[in-house]
Structures are given as C-alpha cells and as structure tokens.
Amino acid sequence: MNRVTKNLLYEQVARVGKALASPKRLEMIELLAQGEKTVEVLAREAAIDVKLTSAHLRVLKESRLVQSHREGRFISYRLAGEDVAELWSRLHEVASKYVVELEVALGQLLSGAERLTSETRASLVAKAAHGDIVVLDVRPNDEYRSAHLPHARSIPLAELKRRLAELPRSKEIVAYCRGPFCMMSAEAVGLLRARGFRARKIGDGVAEWAASGLPLERAA
Amino acid sequence: MNRVTKNLLYEQVARVGKALASPKRLEMIELLAQGEKTVEVLAREAAIDVKLTSAHLRVLKESRLVQSHREGRFISYRLAGEDVAELWSRLHEVASKYVVELEVALGQLLSGAERLTSETRASLVAKAAHGDIVVLDVRPNDEYRSAHLPHARSIPLAELKRRLAELPRSKEIVAYCRGPFCMMSAEAVGLLRARGFRARKIGDGVAEWAASGLPLERAA
DNA sequence: ACAATATTCTAAAGAGCGTTAGAGTGCGCG
DNA sequence: CGCGCACTCTAACGCTCTTTAGAATATTGT
C-alpha cells in the first residue's frame, strides 16, 4: 500500500508537470500571467486555433493551474494563483540556465537585454522613484492595469509612435513587456533609439519581477 | 521569424517541463535531491527496472536537469544544480495547493505531519541549536552526509531500533526524511512513540528546506 | 587477454497526447 | 422564441513517449 500510495502522489504532481510540458500551454501561461483573458483573446494573441486553445485550457484547468468563470457570453481564464506565475518563472530560469540551445537562442533574441539581479532590480526601483529614469510598460493597456512594475508608465507599443511627445529626451527610458521571450520591448527600444531617445530594455515581465520577491503595482 | 523563434524558445522550456511530466522521473529527482547516486542504487530505491531507470536518466540528462560522471565501474548521477531541487519543491508546492486529490492523499499520508512555515522553520533551528529538541535525520547515512538540516543527528531508520539509547527521553524528537512523500520519518515516529519517546515528524526534506531559503549543513 | 559487472543502445509493441473537424451547449439580443 | 455567438465536447488520426527485451560497450580484476 505504501508504494502504491506513493506512486499515486508522484502521479498527481506529474499531472502538473504534464501541463507544463507543452510549448503552447507555456505560452498561454505566460499570457495569462499578464492578467485575465477570454478564450478568444488568448487564441488570437498566441496565434492558436480557438478549438485547440480551448482544449489546452481544459488541460491547464484539470491540473488546477488556471481557473475559469463566465462573464456574459465570454468565458474568462486566469492563473489559479501567484505561485503559478512563479513556477513558470522558475521553470524557465532552470531551463535557460541548463539548456544550452536556449541560451544561444535567448542571446540572439534578447540582443543585449539586461538580465536583472535583485540588486539591479532594487536600484531600478530607486531610480524610477526618484525620477532619474522612466520605466515604460509597452504591453496592451489592460495588462498594465492588471499589474505592472513600480512607477511604470503605460504606453502600448501600438500607440508609441504617436505618443512620443509624452516621453522625456533627458532621461533614460527602460522598457519592458511580458518577459524575456517577448519582443515588444525590443521593438519599442528600436523605435525610441531611432527617434533620438536614450532607451534600453530589460528581460523582466511581471512574473519574473514577482518571482524575485518584489511587489507589483495595480491600477485602482 | 519572430514567431518561429518564439515557439522554439517555448519548446526549449517545454523540454524541461516534459522531463517533469513523469511520476517515475519525479521520484528519481527527489531521490537525487538527497545526494549523488549510481544507476543501480537509484533503481533499487525507486523500485524501477535498471534499464528503465537508465532510460529515464537519459531523458533527465538531455533536459539538463541531471549530470553524470563515471566512478570506476559505476556511473553516478546528481542534480545539475540546487535550483533543480528548488524547482521540484515549487512544483509539488503548486501541485499540493491546487490538486484536490493530492491534498486528500497527502492528508492521509502525512497523518499529522506539520507543514512548516518560515517562522516555524526558524524556531525549529533555534530550539535545536539551544538543545531543547533533537532533530533526527532517519535517511540512509550517505544521504545525511551529503546534506542535512542544521543541528540534525543521523540515525538511519534501519538502525533506529537498536540505537534508541542514543536518544534522550526528556526532549522532543523531531524526525524528518526525504520530503512530504517519504514515509520513513512517519515510521520512525511510530516506533519512537511506542517506546515512550516524545516524537513528531515534519514534512520537510532537504529540498523543501533549501527552497525556503535556509542553509543546510554538510558533513566534512 | 578474458571474464564479470554496470550501464547504455537498439528495436518494437502499446499507451497516451496533440490536433483537427463536426456536433452540441449556454448565453444574450432582437 | 429563436437566432447568433463563444465556447466545449466527442471522435478519430497520427505521432511521441513509456516500457520491455536483447545486443553492445566500457571498465575492473584475474
């Protein structure tokens, strides 16, 4: 009985592991870490067929990583807790530390994006609080409202070009988006630099930030 | 290219997820979190066929979660880093928090084993340092030597019955083993209570302890 | 060099998972 | 009420993973 029970327990944990074993589901988890989303929105943002998205969400729901609730005609999904985002963050931390191919790919992708340590995160907050830099959130505005880095300002990537006047040329602009795999902040930096701003990106998203133990801000 | 690269990245992370998607591999990771082991030892302790153990180790090695090196006729495996044990700990933390069936099974299995918080962990160390309690490691001695909780004493479960004289009847004995799924500490507590000792178990193993940020001791 | 031991490699069967399409369900609006 | 929308359920295909057995490899001791 001992051994049988034991295997059953590892099986339950493996159910969560299985949920984390698919690239599509991982992308969905990262998107949901930005805030609640409907199936349709999720399918569009991840570029996955709606039916397939629904099927994957079913798996995530069965493993208790996400929860769903109906809102009128739409069904909205969210992560089951903060620690799910943290788990995702740890997973890709371990992955990027040990999987060489990922390192190489990440290196190309991030193209100079800073990997933050707890010290640099703390000094980032301090500089932002003091007004020495501008922390810029380039995700869609609803994701910003759901949660964002301390002192961050929201200008979604799509609106950046026509809202450049809101940004100072005297200060360094530090852009971020959904996490190290997300290209939006890199695009934003490219645009800003072309217009003569001083800008750089960081690899952190809200999940990475929270996983490092620092608090997030939420819109009222 | 953007999308292609992106999927490739999630795929790399999913490789690690896949490695965590099998009950047998999870059990092996927990065993390896206790210290380096050869294939044969691992196979015996997990009650898995040697060939199958080797195959699973191959998967773990390909996902860079474990490393191997030859020692004479044996090949010894260990976790690739401390954060792998931490990842395992987080995984089963999330699993046990959200998977109801696991909760129930755990509840029966732990039968009163204390879930530790950071406060109770700290006070445990303080009491052990002061000599108010005896922290007892009932795992095989080589696992104890590899790493153990602060101030812990080693009496492997197999030797406990004939070494009872080494333990004080005046102090409470706090037993632990490999983690919340491990039955050895529960057996030890049963034995000790039957002989008139004051004893209880805790769910922590070295992985859970380290994941909570506290230091471990290692034999010189 | 040869036998014994520990482990890996190869091949093949079976189970389980991802994906797609079509039918079905629940909600809101006219 | 009934139509349309958002989503889920079911069934089926192909593919990948697990598991087992047999052959192969590397190392030690004689």
Side-chain angles (χ1 to χ4, degrees), chain A residues 8-212:
Chain A
L8 204 138
L9 288 166
Y10 286 110
E11 243 158 65
Q12 302 295 351
V13 181
R15 273 173 46 174
V16 177
K18 283 191 186 119
L20 300 172
S22 141
K24 300 218 163 119
R25 285 198 291 270
L26 290 176
E27 183 168 6
M28 288 164 67
I29 287 174
E30 193 182 31
L31 284 166
L32 288 175
Q34 314 305 318
E36 214 171 300
K37 287 180 197 293
T38 66
V39 179
E40 202 191 18
V41 170
L42 207 48
R44 182 160 22 84
E45 298 194 342
I48 304 173
D49 177 76
V50 174
K51 283 173 182 166
L52 184 52
T53 305
S54 177
H56 278 302
L57 283 168
R58 192 171 187 267
V59 175
L60 288 173
K61 198 178 176 186
E62 272 166 11
S63 66
R64 316 293 152 117
L65 290 178
V66 308
Q67 295 171 342
S68 69
H69 61 105
R70 194 175 261 279
E71 273 185 23
R73 285 184 299 166
F74 300 85
I75 296 180
S76 195
Y77 280 83
R78 63 164 160 248
L79 297 189
E82 307 236 328
D83 42 5
V84 175
E86 194 180 326
L87 179 62
W88 150 248
S89 172
R90 299 260 170 223
L91 184 69
H92 106 234
E93 200 174 289
V94 170
S96 62
K97 192 164 167 192
Y98 294 111
V99 179
V100 184
E101 297 92 318
L102 180 58
E103 272 297 294
V104 175
L106 261 184
Q108 293 174 345
L109 188 65
L110 294 186
S111 53
E114 206 173 315
R115 277 294 181 84
L116 299 186
T117 64
S118 51
E119 296 79 47
T120 55
R121 285 193 183 94
S123 96
L124 190 79
V125 177
K127 279 192 259 181
H130 197 256
D132 294 337
I133 58 171
V134 173
V135 177
L136 185 64
D137 185 324
V138 298
R139 296 174 301 159
N141 188 260
D142 61 310
E143 296 183 3
Y144 171 84
R145 265 183 277 116
S146 174
H148 56 262
L149 265 54
H151 310 294
R153 281 166 59 175
S154 166
I155 303 184
L157 182 57
E159 304 170 17
L160 185 58
K161 202 174 274 185
R162 65 170 188 276
R163 289 177 62 183
L164 287 172
E166 297 176 30
L167 292 169
R169 287 174 186 275
S170 56
K171 298 174 186 175
E172 186 182 39
I173 294 160
V174 178
Y176 76 93
C177 46
R178 287 170 181 152
F181 296 175
C182 173
M183 300 295 292
M184 294 192 294
S185 58
E187 278 189 51
V189 167
L191 178 65
L192 289 170
R193 284 190 183 154
R195 306 299 172 102
F197 290 87
R198 274 188 302 138
R200 66 185 168 97
K201 68 164 282 183
I202 55 176
D204 273 25
V206 291
E208 290 73 19
W209 190 267
S212 82

Side-chain angles (χ1 to χ4, degrees), chain B residues 25-98:
Chain B
R25 284 197 291 270
L26 289 176
E27 184 169 8
M28 289 164 65
I29 287 174
E30 193 183 33
L31 284 166
L32 288 176
Q34 315 306 317
E36 217 171 299
K37 286 179 198 292
T38 66
V39 179
E40 202 192 19
V41 170
L42 206 49
R44 181 160 24 85
E45 297 194 342
I48 304 173
D49 177 76
V50 175
K51 285 173 183 167
L52 184 52
T53 305
S54 176
H56 278 302
L57 283 170
R58 191 170 187 268
V59 175
L60 288 173
K61 199 179 175 185
E62 273 167 9
S63 66
R64 318 292 153 118
L65 290 178
V66 307
Q67 296 171 341
S68 70
H69 61 105
R70 194 174 262 277
E71 273 186 22
R73 285 185 301 169
F74 301 86
I75 295 181
S76 194
Y77 280 82
R78 63 164 160 246
L79 296 188
E82 307 235 329
D83 42 5
V84 175
E86 194 180 327
L87 180 62
W88 150 249
S89 173
R90 299 260 168 223
L91 185 69
H92 107 232
E93 200 176 288
V94 170
S96 63
K97 191 163 168 192
Y98 294 112

Side-chain angles (χ1 to χ4, degrees), chain B residues 153-173:
Chain B
R153 282 166 58 174
S154 166
I155 302 183
L157 182 57
E159 304 170 17
L160 185 57
K161 203 174 272 181
R162 65 169 189 275
R163 290 177 61 183
L164 287 171
E166 297 175 30
L167 292 169
R169 286 173 188 276
S170 56
K171 298 175 185 174
E172 185 182 40
I173 294 159

